[in-house]
Amino acid sequence: MCTVSYVFSNNTVIITSNRDEKIARPKALVPKSYMGVYKKMFFPKDSKAGGTWYVLDDKGNIIVLLNGAKEKHIPKEHYRKSRGIILLELFDSCDCIDKWFSIDLTDIEPFTMIVYLNKELYQLRWDGELRDTQKLSNQEKYIWSSSTLYPANIRMERELLFNSFIQNKKVISGEDMAHFHEYTNIDDKENGLVINRNNTLITQSITQTVINQNKMMFSHKDLVANQIYESTFLML
């Protein structure tokens, strides 16, 4: 929920997310399907709050969560509801963009969500007071880093690394992006793509979906347990 990339290459969509989390937080549950009110959803569940940072369905729709909005905020001691629960409430709706404009975000901690819905791409942000909605090109390449963990200069450095990586490749694969998210700037444990800040805050997992035609290939790599969970879905 702290580094996300979106890549369109060779008619393929690749969405990859690194989850940075406190090592003391209970381990997330293995990705599996859950039935909501309106749809079946597939996601790794946060065992503490019950939400998630990465969810998809069998139509190729995906939402990924990052902590914080455009700039770092001062967190309160308590919030009304987990951001990961808000993500699921948005996703489990008839139209999550319509839901975005009506959902109650009072007393919800700031966040950014990357939404791939009906083959369209959106960036949704809540800064604690206002919501910001941007429709992005679904045929471009983007990277986001959480404002709560990475100051503006570090976010810019990561973007430069990302741009350098993609410019050197005519065609980009899921394997390419998985490698970028795991091994870029590997010696920098403070601000590399995979971090370990004094064995307190670490990158716990890398989650990715590759969409090509009517096929979705999902992978979730647990970096702590060194285990990989993979699933393939045919889009309905």
Side-chain angles (χ1 to χ4, degrees):
M1 52 205 298
C2 294
T3 308
V4 177
S5 68
Y6 173 95
V7 169
F8 181 86
S9 178
N10 197 31
N11 292 315
T12 298
V13 169
I14 307 164
I15 300 176
T16 313
S17 169
N18 286 20
R19 187 193 192 208
D20 302 336
E21 191 53 81
K22 293 178 181 177
I23 199 167
R25 192 178 184 98
K27 184 179 177 181
L29 302 180
V30 172
K32 70 173 190 176
S33 294
Y34 297 87
M35 194 64 215
V37 176
Y38 292 99
K39 64 171 70 173
K40 183 184 288 186
M41 304 177 287
F42 187 84
F43 58 90
K45 180 183 281 191
D46 178 5
S47 57
K48 180 180 180 180
T52 190
W53 66 97
Y54 195 116
V55 63
L56 61 150
D57 64 16
D58 56 12
K59 292 180 173 58
N61 300 314
I62 299 171
I63 301 184
V64 189
L65 173 72
L66 293 106
N67 292 339
K70 185 177 180 179
E71 300 300 338
K72 187 176 182 179
H73 61 278
I74 299 173
K76 299 192 297 185
E77 189 171 347
H78 297 290
Y79 288 93
R80 179 172 60 85
K81 190 180 292 187
S82 161
R83 291 166 290 194
I85 295 293
I86 294 292
L87 181 153
L88 291 178
E89 291 179 357
L90 284 175
F91 198 69
D92 184 23
S93 61
C94 295
D95 186 320
C96 68
I97 298 301
D98 284 346
K99 180 76 171 179
W100 162 248
F101 291 109
S102 62
I103 192 169
D104 183 9
L105 296 177
T106 305
D107 198 25
I108 300 298
E109 191 166 5
F111 62 77
T112 300
M113 289 187 190
I114 309 308
V115 178
Y116 185 69
L117 176 71
N118 299 326
K119 298 183 180 180
E120 295 186 324
L121 184 65
Y122 301 85
Q123 174 189 278
L124 311 180
R125 274 185 168 150
W126 168 249
D127 67 3
E129 295 183 0
L130 299 173
R131 53 190 102 201
D132 177 73
T133 309
Q134 293 188 37
K135 187 174 181 181
L136 306 175
S137 171
N138 63 357
Q139 297 191 9
E140 293 293 340
K141 303 170 182 66
Y142 307 92
I143 188 168
W144 297 264
S145 299
S146 171
S147 61
T148 60
L149 290 181
Y150 305 101
N153 65 312
I154 298 299
R155 298 199 301 270
M156 180 61 69
E157 286 180 15
R158 285 161 147 243
E159 189 169 345
L160 291 173
L161 288 169
F162 174 75
N163 290 336
S164 176
F165 180 81
I166 62 176
Q167 285 169 4
N168 291 328
K169 295 181 179 294
K170 291 183 179 180
V171 176
I172 301 172
S173 67
E175 289 83 0
D176 290 332
M177 292 314 302
H179 188 275
F180 174 84
H181 273 256
E182 186 168 0
Y183 297 108
T184 298
N185 218 5
I186 191 169
D187 293 329
D188 186 351
K189 299 303 182 183
E190 188 74 16
N191 294 307
L193 270 287
V194 172
I195 64 170
N196 183 340
R197 296 181 178 175
N198 300 316
N199 289 320
T200 300
L201 181 73
I202 64 170
T203 305
Q204 295 193 349
S205 61
I206 301 172
T207 307
Q208 181 184 80
T209 305
V210 178
I211 304 174
N212 181 261
Q213 296 181 343
N214 69 334
K215 186 177 181 182
M216 291 187 297
M217 292 160 286
F218 172 88
S219 67
H220 176 78
K221 185 170 185 178
D222 182 332
L223 298 176
V224 178
N226 195 29
Q227 294 178 321
I228 300 177
Y229 305 89
E230 297 178 325
S231 296
T232 301
F233 305 89
L234 291 178
M235 292 164 56
L236 301 178

